Amino acid sequence: DQQVKQNSPSLSVQEGRISILNCDYTNSMFDYFLWYKKYPAEGPTFLISISSIKDKNEDGRFTVFLNKSAKHLSLHIVPSQPGDSAVYFCAASPRGTGNQFYFGTGTSLTVIP
Amino acid sequence: DVKVTQSSRYLVKRTGEKVFLECVQDMDHENMFWYRQDPGLGLRLIYFSYDVKMKEKGDIPEGYSVSREKKERFSLILESASTNQTSMYLCASSSSREGYTFGSGTRLTVV
């Protein structure tokens, strides 16, 4: 049973516009969330994180929003660039389990020049 | 630059072969993980280890085993490879909840 879901397998956005990637989770014990970016034939790389004590975290062009009541988080990329084209995974960790993360199925983002 | 190194980028093995996937990290991390990535299924946890000689089953351990004799090395073993184990295998390590450092992955094809 998938505890972390990314319901959009793919997304296309024009260069310079905003990309919004969504992630839903079912486990109310999740209290720490990450976004990873993955290029083909490479391992995922860490992008941004958010703890459940916050509802927003920003790092340059990337902002993650957390809505705990809806069990929903989103990643905003503004402005989108062609180099952002990759697969994005969200991941969540339950409190008290140390380092174990559950990953979503990924969203493939294509930024069109 | 911190690194997780997976010994092979691409492997082709025959059904029934015993397959070893090696992973080495140079960050002195306690925690190491093996995932497989399949289209539409995301990353699924196979096994993980929080200490030397310690191992825990993840979500899909069937058909796999692991070995962690040294802190820096975590090996994934396919006892008898099958075609449904064709996948991208990703090793990761971590020392905290800040997140994982992943290796570049091994694309395994079982024919």
Side-chain angles (χ1 to χ4, degrees):
Chain A
D1 186 27
Q2 195 80 22
Q3 298 189 57
V4 179
K5 300 179 184 180
Q6 294 174 257
N7 292 318
S8 298
S10 62
L11 176 67
S12 290
V13 171
Q14 287 289 135
E15 181 178 4
R17 307 293 285 264
I18 184 171
S19 296
I20 300 176
L21 295 90
N22 293 304
C23 180
D24 297 293
Y25 60 95
T26 57
N27 190 341
S28 58
M29 294 293 287
F30 289 150
D31 70 340
Y32 196 71
F33 305 87
L34 306 173
W35 283 94
Y36 282 87
K37 176 179 178 179
K38 185 180 183 301
Y39 293 115
E42 292 184 15
T45 54
F46 169 77
L47 197 55
I48 194 168
S49 64
I50 189 166
S51 164
S52 62
I53 61 172
K54 293 185 172 183
D55 53 18
K56 177 182 173 182
N57 189 27
E58 206 168 341
D59 183 2
R61 297 186 296 114
F62 302 91
T63 303
V64 56
F65 295 92
L66 176 62
N67 182 332
K68 290 184 286 295
S69 61
K71 294 192 178 68
H72 177 84
L73 64 157
S74 60
L75 174 69
H76 293 210
I77 306 173
V78 183
S80 301
Q81 298 174 354
D84 296 329
S85 298
V87 177
Y88 290 78
F89 292 98
C90 65
S93 178
R95 74 175 64 90
T97 62
N99 289 269
Q100 189 167 349
F101 281 88
Y102 294 83
F103 284 80
T105 51
T107 295
S108 178
L109 173 66
T110 302
V111 180
I112 304 163
Chain B
D1 193 20
V2 295
K3 267 195 167 176
V4 176
T5 304
Q6 294 183 231
S7 53
S8 305
R9 294 296 299 269
Y10 300 94
L11 274 179
V12 180
K13 296 292 182 180
R14 295 194 180 278
T15 301
E17 274 194 78
K18 190 168 186 175
V19 181
F20 293 85
L21 303 182
E22 305 288 345
C23 176
V24 178
Q25 51 98 359
D26 65 0
M27 297 165 283
D28 202 35
H29 284 171
E30 295 84 12
N31 313 304
M32 297 188 75
F33 306 82
W34 275 106
Y35 285 86
R36 62 179 281 178
Q37 182 199 357
D38 300 287
L41 296 175
L43 275 66
R44 293 181 293 166
L45 182 63
I46 305 171
Y47 267 96
F48 60 101
S49 169
Y50 287 157
D51 201 353
V52 175
K53 296 194 185 292
M54 174 268 181
K55 60 185 177 184
E56 291 284 347
K57 292 180 180 179
D59 299 320
I60 51 164
E62 297 79 17
Y64 303 95
S65 62
V66 290
S67 171
R68 193 163 181 203
E69 296 295 318
K70 294 185 178 181
K71 188 176 186 179
E72 66 270 19
R73 186 181 295 270
F74 192 36
S75 304
L76 180 69
I77 304 156
L78 286 67
E79 297 289 342
S80 177
S82 64
T83 54
N84 63 12
Q85 292 178 309
T86 292
S87 186
M88 167 71 88
Y89 289 87
L90 292 160
C91 175
S93 73
S94 75
S95 64
S96 70
R97 288 185 97 201
E98 291 302 309
Y100 299 166
T101 300
F102 280 91
S104 297
T106 297
R107 172 72 66 184
L108 173 67
T109 302
V110 182
V111 298

